[in-house]
């Protein structure tokens, strides 16, 4: 029997999956989800590699949020492994916590100088303060200014150049100004009240989110082969479709790159499986002064998986996205020129019936997982009030 649908959702990542569930469950809508890849979960997808190590195919994902709504909502579909992320920077072979904090200070400077600097910093800014390197640079004391220079040179500038493909001159001074120094020994990467990893992994969580009698998921389907957008509205498989269409893919691609491509950074991932229990001293080590990759993540340390004698690590290489087959656009390059180009596409979308752009690609911005989940919930709040 042919099913008819009230809503069409394109993409089964956080944006699409959360929206589909809300519309199906809270709104009683019949929802069709079309996903181009052969799996759900979007970039948060995880799976076992050939050695049985649970890996994140599209880069390491650590869940953290201050939103109780998002945490409670996702907790219906997963239990959590208690996990607090810690990142070390490899600075000429020494492993120091990032963001740079008091522990890092004592690793970066000789003992006597570090003790003196700690005292000066604490009396100037107070215990627990998060001070930017801009603020440190404005301090009258040359020793404190030297801390800013150390952090800029050894933690920030080379890493940022690798990540964004920029020269030091091209790096936005506002970004540099915001680089933090933490006057504490709390070396957790995130301070959010809710942090953790889905106990069984992200993919089973997504499968549960999408497991609802009102939801039909079709994998391996590029929506552009089924959906036609005109000023008169949408057509699905050639027939007029009057329902809401939530689109979570690239907006420039949706409109055939009519105004040109929106620029992105992409990543190449170098996976290596090694015959050892543990490779490095933290789940993620950033290479802030050396190597051409930005960081190495060791997955077993993220997921807590017990698997003796084998571990899988992943090196991340950042480069410009060209749009070649097989490349994934990961990070939007936010600047006034690109934002203006995005606005042209957004205006086009506005003229296409009940089309909603949702997610990191469709909105051309960076969202953490919790932020896009919240955005999807709020979009559905609005749609279901109509
Ligand atoms: C390397 C990296 C690490 C990250 N780490 C973290 C982290 O530690 N913590 C955190 O909170 N966030 C992290 N994020 C952010 C997180 O990945 C995003 O918040 C999340 O992926 C956004 O979900 P989304 O649904 O908007 O997009 P996506 O996950 O990209 O999902 C969009 C989906 O739409 C599908 N699609 C696109 N076009 C079409 C089409 N035409 N037809 C059918 N399907 C289509 C795609 O295949 C994809 O599955 C990280 C991001 C990156 C790049």
């Amino acid at each position: 029997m042919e099913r008819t649908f009230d809503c069409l959702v394109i993409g089964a990542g956080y944006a699409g999956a959360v929206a589909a569930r809300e519309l199906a469950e809270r709104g009683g809508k019949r929802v069709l989800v079309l996903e181009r890849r052969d799996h759900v979960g979007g970039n948060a997808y995880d799976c076992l590699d050939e050695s049985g190590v649970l890996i994140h195919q599209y880069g390491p994902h650590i869940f953290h949020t201050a939103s109780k709504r998002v945490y409670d909502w996702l907790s219906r579909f997963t239990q959590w492994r208690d996990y607090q992320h810690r990142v070390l920077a490899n600075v000429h072979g020494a492993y120091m916590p990032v963001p740079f904090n008091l522990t890092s200070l004592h690793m970066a400077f000789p003992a006597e100088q570090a003790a003196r600097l700690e005292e000066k910093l604490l009396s100037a800014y107070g215990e627990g303060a998060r001070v930017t390197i801009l603020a440190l640079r404005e301090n009258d004391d040359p020793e404190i200014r030297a801390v800013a220079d150390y952090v800029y040179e050894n933690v920030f500038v080379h890493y940022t150049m690798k990540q964004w493909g920029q020269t030091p001159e091209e790096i936005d001074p506002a970004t540099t100004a915001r680089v933090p120094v933490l006057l504490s020994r709390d070396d957790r990467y995130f301070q959010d009240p809710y942090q953790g990893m889905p106990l069984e992994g992200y993919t089973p969580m997504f499968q549960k989110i999408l497991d609802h009698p009102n939801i039909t998921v079709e994998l391996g389907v590029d929506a552009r082969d089924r959906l036609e957008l005109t000023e008169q509205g949408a057509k699905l498989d050639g027939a007029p479709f009057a329902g809401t269409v939530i689109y979570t893919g690239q907006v420039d691609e949706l409109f055939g790159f009519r105004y040109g491509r929106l620029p992105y950074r992409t990543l190449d991932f170098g996976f290596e499986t090694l015959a050892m229990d543990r490779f490095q001293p933290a789940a993620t080590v950033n290479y802030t002064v050396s190597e051409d990759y930005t960081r190495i993540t060791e997955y077993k340390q993220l997921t807590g998986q017990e698997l003796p004698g084998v571990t899988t690590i992943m090196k991340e290489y950042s480069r410009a996205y060209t749009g070649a087959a097989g490349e994934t656009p990961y990070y939007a390059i936010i600047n006034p020129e690109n934002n203006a180009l995005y606005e042209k596409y957004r205006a086009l979308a506005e003229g296409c019936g009940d089309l909603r752009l949702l997610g990191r690609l469709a909105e051309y911005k960076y969202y953490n997982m919790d932020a896009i989940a919240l955005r999807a919930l709020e979009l559905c709040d609005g749609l279901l009030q109509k």
Side-chain angles (χ1 to χ4, degrees), residues 10-17 34-37 39-44 58-64 85 190 202 221-224 247-250 253-254 267 269 295 316 328-331 358-362 366-372:
I10 293 150
Y14 268 93
L34 300 179
E35 168 55 58
R36 180 151 70 182
R37 291 169 171 164
H39 59 74
V40 298
N43 283 349
Y58 306 96
H61 281 68
I62 298 104
F63 183 79
H64 58 99
H85 196 46
F190 306 113
Y202 286 98
V221 177
D222 191 321
R224 291 171 304 158
Y247 180 80
T248 76
Q250 280 170 266
E253 188 184 67
L254 180 65
L267 298 168
F269 298 125
R295 57 181 182 172
E316 277 174 59
T328 304
Y330 283 109
Y331 297 110
L358 179 72
R360 59 178 204 94
L361 295 167
Y366 183 81
Y367 278 116
N368 273 324
M369 296 183 279
D370 63 324
I372 189 55

Side-chain angles (χ1 to χ4, degrees), residues 30-88:
R30 289 156 304 169
V31 185
L32 174 62
V33 179
L34 300 179
E35 168 55 58
R36 180 151 70 182
R37 291 169 171 164
D38 62 1
H39 59 74
V40 298
N43 283 349
Y45 171 72
D46 54 12
C47 60
L48 297 182
D49 69 9
E50 281 178 2
S51 312
V53 179
L54 182 62
I55 55 160
H56 298 177
Q57 187 78 50
Y58 306 96
H61 281 68
I62 298 104
F63 183 79
H64 58 99
T65 189
S67 165
K68 185 166 184 324
R69 181 176 185 194
V70 169
Y71 182 74
D72 287 348
W73 196 93
L74 291 174
S75 299
R76 293 176 50 212
F77 308 101
T78 187
Q79 291 179 290
W80 299 97
R81 164 178 189 253
D82 186 15
Y83 174 76
Q84 312 269 332
H85 196 46
R86 288 178 169 79
V87 177
L88 296 174

